[in-house]
Amino acid sequence: MCNERMNRLCDLIDRKIDDGTFVPMMNVANSTMRQLGKFLVLFVYFISTFLAFTSFFIIIPYEQLYKPVWFLVTLGVMGLYFLFNIQYHYYKARTIPPVVNPGEEGDAFCEKCNYWKSDRAHHCSVCERCVLGMDHHCIWINQCVGSHNHRHFFLFVANLTLAAATIIIAGYQSFYDHLFLVRDAINAWFSTVIFRTTLKQLIARQYYNMHLFRTLFAIMTVSGFARTSVVFCYLLSAILLIMVGGLTLWNVYLISIGCTYIDYLKLTGSKKKLSARKRLNKGFKSNWKNFLGLRRNRTFFRCVVLPMALPPVKYEDINSRQDVFDVV
């Protein structure tokens, strides 16, 4: 009985889809996602700015009570590196459009685009176009992750994961003191000689009057701004480490087997589909070299460690029709 009802429900849904009943609803949903994506882009910039401000101006100065200066300088340099890479790759991921409609006559035909599309292309109803090598539509960058911007998206989430992990590890003592209001430690932060000299030299003398600078921090502490910022920054970093870290690991797995998420979904199931997925897998090393653009004498340091934009790179060893569209 339950199976019959489920079958009837599925048949009803199929009929409604075929006769266009859900089209207006889908159009509204897609339009909403596009508008929401514009807001979320600004939200990402706000969050990254907040994390950077709290880390550089509250957590690192406060950690002088527990860590040596050389370690804090190292943290500062690492923080600047992560911040620049996060902002750079996020900007590239959301502004570089993935390759669109690379098909030719004889390929599959997309009725929505009214154009041919290759086997590796997928139509995105939100972007309203066929995207080559589509992984997924990301509302946080307000466009699809596909060929040409997938590399920047991966490096963005990878650097964000590493930055969140650094805050979690290095800022634990600050989080503990501010969460439980360890007054002795907080008072020592303001009375320490290191605070009066180092921060005065690095920040106050260059940009502000020292009296104004200390007054600002006093107001922050009294009003609870510093405590709220540190606690929120630490908890937000923990959430990012779990969620974005999980996304990073999932992308590592997909890249390692030579698939996008769409490929993984489409080619999972029958033996024929699994065989097709295996044809996309060029081997662990080749998959990563192709994805990161390590071709034409490009090095890992130049393409990954340094923030750099690269044009799409095809496999040199093209053996079949499907391989033509293997691009970064």
Side-chain angles (χ1 to χ4, degrees):
M1 181 65 70
C2 292
N3 290 335
E4 293 179 0
R5 291 180 178 177
M6 182 60 68
N7 290 333
R8 287 199 297 270
L9 176 61
C10 291
D11 292 339
L12 176 62
I13 294 175
D14 288 338
R15 289 195 300 270
K16 294 297 183 181
I17 292 176
D18 292 337
D19 64 19
T21 302
F22 295 138
V23 171
M25 298 172 58
M26 293 300 299
N27 290 337
V28 171
N30 293 332
S31 177
T32 302
M33 287 188 65
R34 287 192 293 269
Q35 297 303 319
L36 180 60
K38 297 178 181 179
F39 167 77
L40 291 179
V41 167
L42 297 177
F43 183 72
V44 170
Y45 282 119
F46 169 77
I47 288 297
S48 60
T49 302
F50 169 79
L51 291 177
F53 173 82
T54 305
S55 299
F56 286 116
F57 292 96
I58 300 180
I59 294 180
I60 289 181
Y62 185 84
E63 287 293 327
Q64 292 177 97
L65 298 176
Y66 302 100
K67 295 178 176 63
V69 175
W70 67 266
F71 185 78
L72 296 177
V73 172
T74 303
L75 283 179
V77 173
M78 289 176 58
L80 290 174
Y81 173 78
F82 286 139
L83 178 62
F84 185 79
N85 274 272
I86 289 170
Q87 298 295 337
Y88 176 81
H89 289 297
Y90 180 72
Y91 173 78
K92 289 293 184 180
R94 73 174 186 82
T95 57
I96 295 179
V99 179
V100 179
N101 282 338
E104 57 187 38
E105 188 173 356
D107 291 332
F109 190 80
C110 178
E111 296 182 355
K112 297 179 180 179
C113 292
N114 195 31
Y115 197 81
W116 307 99
K117 66 175 182 178
S118 72
D119 294 337
R120 298 297 304 279
H122 182 79
H123 184 84
C124 175
S125 58
V126 181
C127 296
E128 298 180 337
R129 58 187 178 178
C130 287
V131 177
L132 176 65
M134 179 177 171
D135 186 81
H136 68 289
H137 180 89
C138 180
I139 196 172
W140 295 96
I141 65 173
N142 202 29
Q143 72 167 345
C144 284
V145 175
S147 56
H148 205 182
N149 72 341
H150 195 174
R151 168 181 169 271
H152 289 292
F153 177 80
F154 173 75
L155 292 176
F156 160 65
V157 296
N159 278 280
L160 185 57
T161 299
L162 293 175
T166 302
I167 293 176
I168 292 295
I169 296 172
Y172 172 76
Q173 197 61 56
S174 296
F175 169 71
Y176 180 87
D177 288 354
H178 285 82
L179 179 64
F180 296 103
L181 289 176
V182 181
R183 295 292 183 182
D184 292 340
I186 294 177
N187 291 334
W189 180 34
F190 285 95
S191 61
T192 180
V193 175
I194 297 177
F195 174 79
R196 290 198 302 269
T197 57
T198 306
L199 287 185
K200 180 189 298 184
Q201 294 171 358
L202 295 180
I203 302 174
R205 285 182 180 176
Q206 298 179 29
Y207 303 104
Y208 301 104
N209 178 271
M210 187 58 187
H211 175 72
L212 178 62
F213 181 74
R214 291 178 62 85
T215 302
L216 174 62
F217 269 84
I219 294 173
M220 288 164 52
T221 304
V222 172
S223 64
F225 175 82
R227 182 194 182 198
T228 303
S229 297
V230 170
V231 173
F232 182 73
C233 174
Y234 196 88
L235 295 179
L236 178 61
S237 298
I239 294 173
L240 290 175
L241 182 61
I242 295 172
M243 299 183 66
V244 181
L247 178 62
T248 302
L249 292 177
W250 175 241
N251 273 266
V252 167
Y253 170 72
L254 292 177
I255 296 167
S256 299
I257 63 174
C259 282
T260 65
Y261 182 52
I262 296 294
D263 291 331
Y264 184 84
L265 293 178
K266 290 170 59 178
L267 303 177
T268 298
S270 65
K271 292 182 179 180
K272 183 178 180 180
K273 291 182 177 180
L274 292 176
S275 177
R277 195 170 81 188
K278 288 181 180 179
R279 288 198 298 270
L280 298 177
N281 191 349
K282 311 299 180 182
F284 180 86
K285 184 177 180 180
S286 294
N287 292 336
W288 277 98
K289 287 182 65 177
N290 180 69
F291 180 81
L292 296 174
L294 304 182
R295 302 282 180 170
R296 306 169 189 171
N297 297 321
R298 293 170 180 156
T299 63
F300 180 86
F301 180 81
R302 178 186 174 188
C303 296
V304 180
V305 177
L306 296 180
M308 177 176 291
L310 301 175
V313 179
K314 299 179 181 179
Y315 275 102
E316 286 89 358
D317 52 341
I318 297 176
N319 298 318
S320 64
R321 177 71 171 77
Q322 287 76 17
D323 291 334
V324 174
F325 299 107
D326 284 325
V327 294
V328 175

mmCIF file with all atom_site columns, all heavy atoms in Angstrom, residues 32-43:
data_model
loop_
_atom_site.group_PDB
_atom_site.id
_atom_site.type_symbol
_atom_site.label_atom_id
_atom_site.label_alt_id
_atom_site.label_comp_id
_atom_site.label_asym_id
_atom_site.label_entity_id
_atom_site.label_seq_id
_atom_site.pdbx_PDB_ins_code
_atom_site.Cartn_x
_atom_site.Cartn_y
_atom_site.Cartn_z
_atom_site.occupancy
_atom_site.B_iso_or_equiv
_atom_site.pdbx_formal_charge
_atom_site.auth_seq_id
_atom_site.auth_comp_id
_atom_site.auth_asym_id
_atom_site.auth_atom_id
_atom_site.pdbx_PDB_model_num
ATOM 1   N N   . THR A 1 32 ? 15.478 34.497 -6.172  1.00 0.00 ? 32 THR A N   1
ATOM 2   C CA  . THR A 1 32 ? 15.781 34.757 -4.763  1.00 0.00 ? 32 THR A CA  1
ATOM 3   C C   . THR A 1 32 ? 17.212 34.386 -4.429  1.00 0.00 ? 32 THR A C   1
ATOM 4   O O   . THR A 1 32 ? 17.911 35.108 -3.699  1.00 0.00 ? 32 THR A O   1
ATOM 5   C CB  . THR A 1 32 ? 14.812 33.978 -3.862  1.00 0.00 ? 32 THR A CB  1
ATOM 6   O OG1 . THR A 1 32 ? 13.465 34.359 -4.162  1.00 0.00 ? 32 THR A OG1 1
ATOM 7   C CG2 . THR A 1 32 ? 15.093 34.263 -2.394  1.00 0.00 ? 32 THR A CG2 1
ATOM 8   N N   . MET A 1 33 ? 17.679 33.255 -4.965  1.00 0.00 ? 33 MET A N   1
ATOM 9   C CA  . MET A 1 33 ? 19.057 32.828 -4.715  1.00 0.00 ? 33 MET A CA  1
ATOM 10  C C   . MET A 1 33 ? 20.056 33.821 -5.290  1.00 0.00 ? 33 MET A C   1
ATOM 11  O O   . MET A 1 33 ? 21.087 34.106 -4.668  1.00 0.00 ? 33 MET A O   1
ATOM 12  C CB  . MET A 1 33 ? 19.282 31.443 -5.312  1.00 0.00 ? 33 MET A CB  1
ATOM 13  C CG  . MET A 1 33 ? 18.623 30.311 -4.541  1.00 0.00 ? 33 MET A CG  1
ATOM 14  S SD  . MET A 1 33 ? 19.116 28.686 -5.145  1.00 0.00 ? 33 MET A SD  1
ATOM 15  C CE  . MET A 1 33 ? 20.869 28.673 -4.735  1.00 0.00 ? 33 MET A CE  1
ATOM 16  N N   . ARG A 1 34 ? 19.755 34.370 -6.467  1.00 0.00 ? 34 ARG A N   1
ATOM 17  C CA  . ARG A 1 34 ? 20.670 35.358 -7.060  1.00 0.00 ? 34 ARG A CA  1
ATOM 18  C C   . ARG A 1 34 ? 20.745 36.622 -6.215  1.00 0.00 ? 34 ARG A C   1
ATOM 19  O O   . ARG A 1 34 ? 21.834 37.183 -6.005  1.00 0.00 ? 34 ARG A O   1
ATOM 20  C CB  . ARG A 1 34 ? 20.228 35.695 -8.486  1.00 0.00 ? 34 ARG A CB  1
ATOM 21  C CG  . ARG A 1 34 ? 20.479 34.600 -9.503  1.00 0.00 ? 34 ARG A CG  1
ATOM 22  C CD  . ARG A 1 34 ? 20.290 35.105 -10.925 1.00 0.00 ? 34 ARG A CD  1
ATOM 23  N NE  . ARG A 1 34 ? 18.906 35.446 -11.201 1.00 0.00 ? 34 ARG A NE  1
ATOM 24  C CZ  . ARG A 1 34 ? 18.019 34.592 -11.696 1.00 0.00 ? 34 ARG A CZ  1
ATOM 25  N NH1 . ARG A 1 34 ? 18.378 33.353 -11.958 1.00 0.00 ? 34 ARG A NH1 1
ATOM 26  N NH2 . ARG A 1 34 ? 16.773 34.970 -11.947 1.00 0.00 ? 34 ARG A NH2 1
ATOM 27  N N   . GLN A 1 35 ? 19.606 37.081 -5.718  1.00 0.00 ? 35 GLN A N   1
ATOM 28  C CA  . GLN A 1 35 ? 19.594 38.289 -4.888  1.00 0.00 ? 35 GLN A CA  1
ATOM 29  C C   . GLN A 1 35 ? 20.247 38.029 -3.533  1.00 0.00 ? 35 GLN A C   1
ATOM 30  O O   . GLN A 1 35 ? 20.982 38.867 -3.012  1.00 0.00 ? 35 GLN A O   1
ATOM 31  C CB  . GLN A 1 35 ? 18.160 38.786 -4.705  1.00 0.00 ? 35 GLN A CB  1
ATOM 32  C CG  . GLN A 1 35 ? 17.472 39.206 -5.996  1.00 0.00 ? 35 GLN A CG  1
ATOM 33  C CD  . GLN A 1 35 ? 18.248 40.280 -6.744  1.00 0.00 ? 35 GLN A CD  1
ATOM 34  O OE1 . GLN A 1 35 ? 18.779 41.223 -6.144  1.00 0.00 ? 35 GLN A OE1 1
ATOM 35  N NE2 . GLN A 1 35 ? 18.326 40.141 -8.064  1.00 0.00 ? 35 GLN A NE2 1
ATOM 36  N N   . LEU A 1 36 ? 19.981 36.856 -2.964  1.00 0.00 ? 36 LEU A N   1
ATOM 37  C CA  . LEU A 1 36 ? 20.584 36.501 -1.682  1.00 0.00 ? 36 LEU A CA  1
ATOM 38  C C   . LEU A 1 36 ? 22.097 36.373 -1.813  1.00 0.00 ? 36 LEU A C   1
ATOM 39  O O   . LEU A 1 36 ? 22.845 36.734 -0.900  1.00 0.00 ? 36 LEU A O   1
ATOM 40  C CB  . LEU A 1 36 ? 19.986 35.192 -1.168  1.00 0.00 ? 36 LEU A CB  1
ATOM 41  C CG  . LEU A 1 36 ? 20.509 34.671 0.178   1.00 0.00 ? 36 LEU A CG  1
ATOM 42  C CD1 . LEU A 1 36 ? 20.246 35.679 1.297   1.00 0.00 ? 36 LEU A CD1 1
ATOM 43  C CD2 . LEU A 1 36 ? 19.873 33.331 0.513   1.00 0.00 ? 36 LEU A CD2 1
ATOM 44  N N   . GLY A 1 37 ? 22.541 35.874 -2.969  1.00 0.00 ? 37 GLY A N   1
ATOM 45  C CA  . GLY A 1 37 ? 23.974 35.735 -3.198  1.00 0.00 ? 37 GLY A CA  1
ATOM 46  C C   . GLY A 1 37 ? 24.697 37.065 -3.144  1.00 0.00 ? 37 GLY A C   1
ATOM 47  O O   . GLY A 1 37 ? 25.819 37.154 -2.641  1.00 0.00 ? 37 GLY A O   1
ATOM 48  N N   . LYS A 1 38 ? 24.068 38.144 -3.643  1.00 0.00 ? 38 LYS A N   1
ATOM 49  C CA  . LYS A 1 38 ? 24.690 39.465 -3.580  1.00 0.00 ? 38 LYS A CA  1
ATOM 50  C C   . LYS A 1 38 ? 24.900 39.898 -2.134  1.00 0.00 ? 38 LYS A C   1
ATOM 51  O O   . LYS A 1 38 ? 25.934 40.496 -1.800  1.00 0.00 ? 38 LYS A O   1
ATOM 52  C CB  . LYS A 1 38 ? 23.813 40.480 -4.316  1.00 0.00 ? 38 LYS A CB  1
ATOM 53  C CG  . LYS A 1 38 ? 23.653 40.207 -5.811  1.00 0.00 ? 38 LYS A CG  1
ATOM 54  C CD  . LYS A 1 38 ? 22.728 41.221 -6.462  1.00 0.00 ? 38 LYS A CD  1
ATOM 55  C CE  . LYS A 1 38 ? 22.537 40.941 -7.942  1.00 0.00 ? 38 LYS A CE  1
ATOM 56  N NZ  . LYS A 1 38 ? 21.616 41.903 -8.583  1.00 0.00 ? 38 LYS A NZ  1
ATOM 57  N N   . PHE A 1 39 ? 23.927 39.605 -1.283  1.00 0.00 ? 39 PHE A N   1
ATOM 58  C CA  . PHE A 1 39 ? 24.064 39.960 0.133   1.00 0.00 ? 39 PHE A CA  1
ATOM 59  C C   . PHE A 1 39 ? 25.138 39.122 0.809   1.00 0.00 ? 39 PHE A C   1
ATOM 60  O O   . PHE A 1 39 ? 25.929 39.639 1.614   1.00 0.00 ? 39 PHE A O   1
ATOM 61  C CB  . PHE A 1 39 ? 22.721 39.760 0.833   1.00 0.00 ? 39 PHE A CB  1
ATOM 62  C CG  . PHE A 1 39 ? 22.804 39.792 2.338   1.00 0.00 ? 39 PHE A CG  1
ATOM 63  C CD1 . PHE A 1 39 ? 22.934 40.989 3.020   1.00 0.00 ? 39 PHE A CD1 1
ATOM 64  C CD2 . PHE A 1 39 ? 22.790 38.606 3.063   1.00 0.00 ? 39 PHE A CD2 1
ATOM 65  C CE1 . PHE A 1 39 ? 23.034 41.018 4.401   1.00 0.00 ? 39 PHE A CE1 1
ATOM 66  C CE2 . PHE A 1 39 ? 22.891 38.621 4.445   1.00 0.00 ? 39 PHE A CE2 1
ATOM 67  C CZ  . PHE A 1 39 ? 23.008 39.831 5.123   1.00 0.00 ? 39 PHE A CZ  1
ATOM 68  N N   . LEU A 1 40 ? 25.184 37.834 0.486   1.00 0.00 ? 40 LEU A N   1
ATOM 69  C CA  . LEU A 1 40 ? 26.147 36.944 1.135   1.00 0.00 ? 40 LEU A CA  1
ATOM 70  C C   . LEU A 1 40 ? 27.575 37.280 0.743   1.00 0.00 ? 40 LEU A C   1
ATOM 71  O O   . LEU A 1 40 ? 28.505 37.053 1.526   1.00 0.00 ? 40 LEU A O   1
ATOM 72  C CB  . LEU A 1 40 ? 25.821 35.488 0.797   1.00 0.00 ? 40 LEU A CB  1
ATOM 73  C CG  . LEU A 1 40 ? 24.537 34.950 1.417   1.00 0.00 ? 40 LEU A CG  1
ATOM 74  C CD1 . LEU A 1 40 ? 24.301 33.503 0.995   1.00 0.00 ? 40 LEU A CD1 1
ATOM 75  C CD2 . LEU A 1 40 ? 24.586 35.042 2.947   1.00 0.00 ? 40 LEU A CD2 1
ATOM 76  N N   . VAL A 1 41 ? 27.787 37.818 -0.456  1.00 0.00 ? 41 VAL A N   1
ATOM 77  C CA  . VAL A 1 41 ? 29.131 38.259 -0.848  1.00 0.00 ? 41 VAL A CA  1
ATOM 78  C C   . VAL A 1 41 ? 29.603 39.364 0.096   1.00 0.00 ? 41 VAL A C   1
ATOM 79  O O   . VAL A 1 41 ? 30.743 39.343 0.589   1.00 0.00 ? 41 VAL A O   1
ATOM 80  C CB  . VAL A 1 41 ? 29.134 38.734 -2.311  1.00 0.00 ? 41 VAL A CB  1
ATOM 81  C CG1 . VAL A 1 41 ? 30.429 39.487 -2.628  1.00 0.00 ? 41 VAL A CG1 1
ATOM 82  C CG2 . VAL A 1 41 ? 28.984 37.558 -3.263  1.00 0.00 ? 41 VAL A CG2 1
ATOM 83  N N   . LEU A 1 42 ? 28.751 40.327 0.363   1.00 0.00 ? 42 LEU A N   1
ATOM 84  C CA  . LEU A 1 42 ? 29.099 41.398 1.310   1.00 0.00 ? 42 LEU A CA  1
ATOM 85  C C   . LEU A 1 42 ? 29.297 40.839 2.711   1.00 0.00 ? 42 LEU A C   1
ATOM 86  O O   . LEU A 1 42 ? 30.167 41.299 3.461   1.00 0.00 ? 42 LEU A O   1
ATOM 87  C CB  . LEU A 1 42 ? 27.992 42.462 1.311   1.00 0.00 ? 42 LEU A CB  1
ATOM 88  C CG  . LEU A 1 42 ? 27.759 43.199 -0.004  1.00 0.00 ? 42 LEU A CG  1
ATOM 89  C CD1 . LEU A 1 42 ? 26.585 44.172 0.135   1.00 0.00 ? 42 LEU A CD1 1
ATOM 90  C CD2 . LEU A 1 42 ? 29.013 43.940 -0.443  1.00 0.00 ? 42 LEU A CD2 1
ATOM 91  N N   . PHE A 1 43 ? 28.495 39.838 3.071   1.00 0.00 ? 43 PHE A N   1
ATOM 92  C CA  . PHE A 1 43 ? 28.603 39.234 4.393   1.00 0.00 ? 43 PHE A CA  1
ATOM 93  C C   . PHE A 1 43 ? 29.952 38.535 4.567   1.00 0.00 ? 43 PHE A C   1
ATOM 94  O O   . PHE A 1 43 ? 30.560 38.607 5.634   1.00 0.00 ? 43 PHE A O   1
ATOM 95  C CB  . PHE A 1 43 ? 27.467 38.233 4.595   1.00 0.00 ? 43 PHE A CB  1
ATOM 96  C CG  . PHE A 1 43 ? 27.444 37.590 5.951   1.00 0.00 ? 43 PHE A CG  1
ATOM 97  C CD1 . PHE A 1 43 ? 27.069 38.317 7.070   1.00 0.00 ? 43 PHE A CD1 1
ATOM 98  C CD2 . PHE A 1 43 ? 27.808 36.261 6.108   1.00 0.00 ? 43 PHE A CD2 1
ATOM 99  C CE1 . PHE A 1 43 ? 27.053 37.727 8.328   1.00 0.00 ? 43 PHE A CE1 1
ATOM 100 C CE2 . PHE A 1 43 ? 27.795 35.664 7.354   1.00 0.00 ? 43 PHE A CE2 1
ATOM 101 C CZ  . PHE A 1 43 ? 27.415 36.398 8.472   1.00 0.00 ? 43 PHE A CZ  1
#
